Every structure is written in structure tokens, then in C-alpha cells.
Amino acid sequence: MANNNNKLQLGPINYIILGIAVILLIVGYFIMAGNEIVISPVILTIAYGVLIPLGLLYKSKPKE
């Protein structure tokens, strides 16, 4: 049988990155609620476009 290595294996670094993304999302939406329409899209784009994919796809180097 084939080894099933296609599953997501999230480590502590992945959860830290995803936690930062969630915090930025919350901050971005609160800033948007305050009618600041210049900085909130930048914050949300960083969270959705950079940090969430990075948190899901990052693999730490194996320890030797």
C-alpha cells in the first residue's frame, strides 16, 4: 500500500502564523468599521493573501 503523506501536517509554527492572520483579520475588520478605507484593505490583503496560505503551506525543515 502507498504511504499516505498527502495530509496537512501543521506544526507549531503553522499555528502561530495562522493565529497572526486571525488577529490581523479582526483588526482589519474593526478598522474598516471605523471608515478607514485606506489601510484596512491592505491589512486584509496581507492576512488573506499572504499569511493564511503561508500558514497552510509552510513546512519546517526536518531535524537531523
Side-chain angles (χ1 to χ4, degrees):
M1 297 201 59
N3 193 1
N4 193 3
N5 287 333
N6 294 334
K7 294 181 182 178
L8 279 177
Q9 298 176 354
L10 301 178
I13 300 295
N14 299 91
Y15 288 116
I16 291 170
I17 295 171
L18 290 173
I20 292 170
V22 168
I23 291 170
L24 278 180
L25 288 173
I26 293 169
V27 168
Y29 281 115
F30 273 115
I31 292 173
M32 187 183 295
N35 290 330
E36 185 67 38
I37 59 170
V38 176
I39 189 122
S40 62
V42 174
I43 293 173
L44 294 174
T45 302
I46 290 171
Y48 279 120
V50 177
L51 290 178
I52 291 176
L54 180 67
L56 293 175
L57 298 176
Y58 180 78
K59 285 193 176 192
S60 60
K61 296 179 183 174
K63 296 179 181 178
E64 293 183 23

